[in-house]
PDB file of all heavy atoms in Angstrom:
ATOM      1  N   ASN A  29      35.517  69.234  77.406  1.00 78.00           N
ATOM      2  CA  ASN A  29      36.630  68.278  77.511  1.00 78.00           C
ATOM      3  C   ASN A  29      36.534  67.181  76.416  1.00 78.00           C
ATOM      4  O   ASN A  29      37.305  66.246  76.426  1.00 78.00           O
ATOM      5  CB  ASN A  29      36.555  67.554  78.915  1.00 78.00           C
ATOM      6  CG  ASN A  29      36.858  68.564  80.019  1.00 78.00           C
ATOM      7  OD1 ASN A  29      37.659  69.449  79.846  1.00 78.00           O
ATOM      8  ND2 ASN A  29      36.133  68.383  81.102  1.00 78.00           N
ATOM      9  N   GLY A  92      47.684  87.504  59.473  1.00 79.00           N
ATOM     10  CA  GLY A  92      48.308  86.566  60.390  1.00 79.00           C
ATOM     11  C   GLY A  92      48.350  87.237  61.765  1.00 79.00           C
ATOM     12  O   GLY A  92      47.763  88.297  61.962  1.00 79.00           O
ATOM     13  N   GLY A 123      51.853 100.252  57.658  1.00 82.00           N
ATOM     14  CA  GLY A 123      52.535  98.955  57.673  1.00 82.00           C
ATOM     15  C   GLY A 123      51.765  97.812  56.986  1.00 82.00           C
ATOM     16  O   GLY A 123      52.252  96.654  56.917  1.00 82.00           O
ATOM     17  N   GLY A 238      -6.057  74.657  44.539  1.00 95.00           N
ATOM     18  CA  GLY A 238      -5.527  75.958  44.868  1.00 95.00           C
ATOM     19  C   GLY A 238      -6.192  76.477  46.144  1.00 95.00           C
ATOM     20  O   GLY A 238      -5.533  77.057  47.022  1.00 95.00           O
ATOM     21  N   GLU A 247     -12.147  83.431  43.434  1.00 94.00           N
ATOM     22  CA  GLU A 247     -12.061  84.663  42.572  1.00 94.00           C
ATOM     23  C   GLU A 247     -10.629  85.090  42.369  1.00 94.00           C
ATOM     24  O   GLU A 247     -10.123  85.418  41.302  1.00 94.00           O
ATOM     25  CB  GLU A 247     -12.823  85.783  43.250  1.00 94.00           C
ATOM     26  CG  GLU A 247     -12.852  87.048  42.431  1.00 94.00           C
ATOM     27  CD  GLU A 247     -13.639  88.201  43.052  1.00 94.00           C
ATOM     28  OE1 GLU A 247     -14.371  87.937  44.065  1.00 94.00           O
ATOM     29  OE2 GLU A 247     -13.522  89.311  42.572  1.00 94.00           O
ATOM     30  N   ASP A 266      -9.936  74.577  25.607  1.00 93.00           N
ATOM     31  CA  ASP A 266     -11.137  73.767  25.746  1.00 93.00           C
ATOM     32  C   ASP A 266     -10.805  72.415  25.079  1.00 93.00           C
ATOM     33  O   ASP A 266     -10.633  72.290  23.908  1.00 93.00           O
ATOM     34  CB  ASP A 266     -12.331  74.383  25.087  1.00 93.00           C
ATOM     35  CG  ASP A 266     -12.911  75.510  25.900  1.00 93.00           C
ATOM     36  OD1 ASP A 266     -13.056  75.339  27.070  1.00 93.00           O
ATOM     37  OD2 ASP A 266     -13.131  76.566  25.302  1.00 93.00           O
ATOM     38  N   ILE A 308       8.711  39.086   1.955  1.00 94.00           N
ATOM     39  CA  ILE A 308       8.190  38.356   3.107  1.00 94.00           C
ATOM     40  C   ILE A 308       8.468  36.831   2.898  1.00 94.00           C
ATOM     41  O   ILE A 308       8.943  36.101   3.824  1.00 94.00           O
ATOM     42  CB  ILE A 308       6.686  38.599   3.373  1.00 94.00           C
ATOM     43  CG1 ILE A 308       6.532  40.104   3.896  1.00 94.00           C
ATOM     44  CG2 ILE A 308       6.156  37.679   4.389  1.00 94.00           C
ATOM     45  CD1 ILE A 308       5.149  40.585   3.974  1.00 94.00           C
ATOM     46  N   PHE A 311      12.049  36.005   3.360  1.00 94.00           N
ATOM     47  CA  PHE A 311      12.430  36.110   4.820  1.00 94.00           C
ATOM     48  C   PHE A 311      11.938  34.792   5.529  1.00 94.00           C
ATOM     49  O   PHE A 311      12.687  34.275   6.362  1.00 94.00           O
ATOM     50  CB  PHE A 311      11.801  37.348   5.459  1.00 94.00           C
ATOM     51  CG  PHE A 311      12.065  37.511   6.863  1.00 94.00           C
ATOM     52  CD1 PHE A 311      13.298  38.056   7.336  1.00 94.00           C
ATOM     53  CD2 PHE A 311      11.193  37.066   7.896  1.00 94.00           C
ATOM     54  CE1 PHE A 311      13.570  38.169   8.726  1.00 94.00           C
ATOM     55  CE2 PHE A 311      11.479  37.217   9.199  1.00 94.00           C
ATOM     56  CZ  PHE A 311      12.641  37.800   9.644  1.00 94.00           C
ATOM     57  N   PRO A 342       3.612  40.178  24.854  1.00 90.00           N
ATOM     58  CA  PRO A 342       4.748  39.259  24.716  1.00 90.00           C
ATOM     59  C   PRO A 342       4.419  38.029  23.905  1.00 90.00           C
ATOM     60  O   PRO A 342       3.281  37.550  23.915  1.00 90.00           O
ATOM     61  CB  PRO A 342       5.030  38.921  26.177  1.00 90.00           C
ATOM     62  CG  PRO A 342       3.743  39.094  26.902  1.00 90.00           C
ATOM     63  CD  PRO A 342       3.093  40.226  26.269  1.00 90.00           C
ATOM     64  N   GLU A 358      16.967  47.487   4.338  1.00 93.00           N
ATOM     65  CA  GLU A 358      18.431  47.425   4.051  1.00 93.00           C
ATOM     66  C   GLU A 358      18.766  46.822   2.684  1.00 93.00           C
ATOM     67  O   GLU A 358      19.636  47.275   1.978  1.00 93.00           O
ATOM     68  CB  GLU A 358      19.195  46.699   5.176  1.00 93.00           C
ATOM     69  CG  GLU A 358      19.261  47.480   6.428  1.00 93.00           C
ATOM     70  CD  GLU A 358      20.122  46.867   7.557  1.00 93.00           C
ATOM     71  OE1 GLU A 358      20.368  45.609   7.420  1.00 93.00           O
ATOM     72  OE2 GLU A 358      20.460  47.527   8.512  1.00 93.00           O
ATOM     73  N   ASP A 425       7.626  59.531  26.967  1.00 94.00           N
ATOM     74  CA  ASP A 425       6.803  60.626  27.357  1.00 94.00           C
ATOM     75  C   ASP A 425       6.728  61.736  26.396  1.00 94.00           C
ATOM     76  O   ASP A 425       7.422  61.698  25.367  1.00 94.00           O
ATOM     77  CB  ASP A 425       7.236  61.173  28.776  1.00 94.00           C
ATOM     78  CG  ASP A 425       8.632  61.795  28.782  1.00 94.00           C
ATOM     79  OD1 ASP A 425       8.967  62.464  27.744  1.00 94.00           O
ATOM     80  OD2 ASP A 425       9.324  61.699  29.768  1.00 94.00           O
ATOM     81  N   SER A 484       5.657  29.166  27.125  1.00 88.00           N
ATOM     82  CA  SER A 484       6.021  29.894  28.329  1.00 88.00           C
ATOM     83  C   SER A 484       4.722  30.266  29.081  1.00 88.00           C
ATOM     84  O   SER A 484       3.892  31.034  28.511  1.00 88.00           O
ATOM     85  CB  SER A 484       6.808  31.132  27.928  1.00 88.00           C
ATOM     86  OG  SER A 484       6.862  32.033  29.043  1.00 88.00           O
ATOM     87  N   ILE A 519       5.255  37.474  54.127  1.00 94.00           N
ATOM     88  CA  ILE A 519       5.658  37.636  52.710  1.00 94.00           C
ATOM     89  C   ILE A 519       7.099  38.005  52.613  1.00 94.00           C
ATOM     90  O   ILE A 519       7.861  37.504  51.766  1.00 94.00           O
ATOM     91  CB  ILE A 519       4.777  38.610  52.018  1.00 94.00           C
ATOM     92  CG1 ILE A 519       3.268  38.227  51.924  1.00 94.00           C
ATOM     93  CG2 ILE A 519       5.282  38.961  50.549  1.00 94.00           C
ATOM     94  CD1 ILE A 519       2.344  39.322  51.325  1.00 94.00           C
ATOM     95  N   GLN A 565      19.373  44.725  51.540  1.00 95.00           N
ATOM     96  CA  GLN A 565      20.728  45.195  51.648  1.00 95.00           C
ATOM     97  C   GLN A 565      21.468  44.521  52.793  1.00 95.00           C
ATOM     98  O   GLN A 565      22.663  44.154  52.644  1.00 95.00           O
ATOM     99  CB  GLN A 565      20.770  46.745  51.895  1.00 95.00           C
ATOM    100  CG  GLN A 565      22.172  47.313  51.942  1.00 95.00           C
ATOM    101  CD  GLN A 565      22.116  48.790  52.412  1.00 95.00           C
ATOM    102  OE1 GLN A 565      21.385  49.154  53.376  1.00 95.00           O
ATOM    103  NE2 GLN A 565      22.858  49.672  51.736  1.00 95.00           N
ATOM    104  N   ASP A 582      18.114  58.999  55.195  1.00 80.00           N
ATOM    105  CA  ASP A 582      17.840  57.787  55.952  1.00 80.00           C
ATOM    106  C   ASP A 582      18.328  56.540  55.220  1.00 80.00           C
ATOM    107  O   ASP A 582      17.849  55.465  55.464  1.00 80.00           O
ATOM    108  CB  ASP A 582      16.342  57.643  56.353  1.00 80.00           C
ATOM    109  CG  ASP A 582      15.482  57.661  55.080  1.00 80.00           C
ATOM    110  OD1 ASP A 582      15.993  57.947  53.944  1.00 80.00           O
ATOM    111  OD2 ASP A 582      14.260  57.363  55.208  1.00 80.00           O
ATOM    112  N   PHE A 585      24.345  54.022  51.867  1.00 94.00           N
ATOM    113  CA  PHE A 585      24.890  53.525  50.623  1.00 94.00           C
ATOM    114  C   PHE A 585      26.243  52.881  50.926  1.00 94.00           C
ATOM    115  O   PHE A 585      27.096  53.434  51.639  1.00 94.00           O
ATOM    116  CB  PHE A 585      25.175  54.737  49.641  1.00 94.00           C
ATOM    117  CG  PHE A 585      23.938  55.302  49.084  1.00 94.00           C
ATOM    118  CD1 PHE A 585      23.552  56.605  49.479  1.00 94.00           C
ATOM    119  CD2 PHE A 585      23.130  54.688  48.202  1.00 94.00           C
ATOM    120  CE1 PHE A 585      22.385  57.211  49.003  1.00 94.00           C
ATOM    121  CE2 PHE A 585      21.977  55.237  47.634  1.00 94.00           C
ATOM    122  CZ  PHE A 585      21.630  56.452  48.050  1.00 94.00           C
ATOM    123  N   GLU A 628      35.925  58.680  50.570  1.00 71.00           N
ATOM    124  CA  GLU A 628      35.665  59.339  51.814  1.00 71.00           C
ATOM    125  C   GLU A 628      36.330  60.715  51.906  1.00 71.00           C
ATOM    126  O   GLU A 628      35.777  61.650  52.510  1.00 71.00           O
ATOM    127  CB  GLU A 628      36.018  58.456  52.996  1.00 71.00           C
ATOM    128  CG  GLU A 628      35.057  57.276  53.091  1.00 71.00           C
ATOM    129  CD  GLU A 628      35.661  56.196  53.986  1.00 71.00           C
ATOM    130  OE1 GLU A 628      36.877  56.188  54.273  1.00 71.00           O
ATOM    131  OE2 GLU A 628      34.911  55.262  54.319  1.00 71.00           O
ATOM    132  N   LYS A 730      -6.778  64.296  16.343  1.00 92.00           N
ATOM    133  CA  LYS A 730      -8.113  64.092  15.756  1.00 92.00           C
ATOM    134  C   LYS A 730      -8.721  65.360  15.213  1.00 92.00           C
ATOM    135  O   LYS A 730      -9.336  65.307  14.187  1.00 92.00           O
ATOM    136  CB  LYS A 730      -8.993  63.415  16.853  1.00 92.00           C
ATOM    137  CG  LYS A 730      -8.712  62.014  17.188  1.00 92.00           C
ATOM    138  CD  LYS A 730      -9.625  61.403  18.232  1.00 92.00           C
ATOM    139  CE  LYS A 730     -10.924  61.053  17.627  1.00 92.00           C
ATOM    140  NZ  LYS A 730     -11.845  60.282  18.487  1.00 92.00           N
TER     141      LYS A 730
END
Side-chain angles (χ1 to χ4, degrees):
N29 295 322
E247 184 180 347
D266 285 313
I308 290 169
F311 180 81
E358 287 185 343
D425 64 36
S484 166
I519 296 176
Q565 182 190 45
D582 59 349
F585 290 109
E628 291 163 343
K730 286 181 78 171

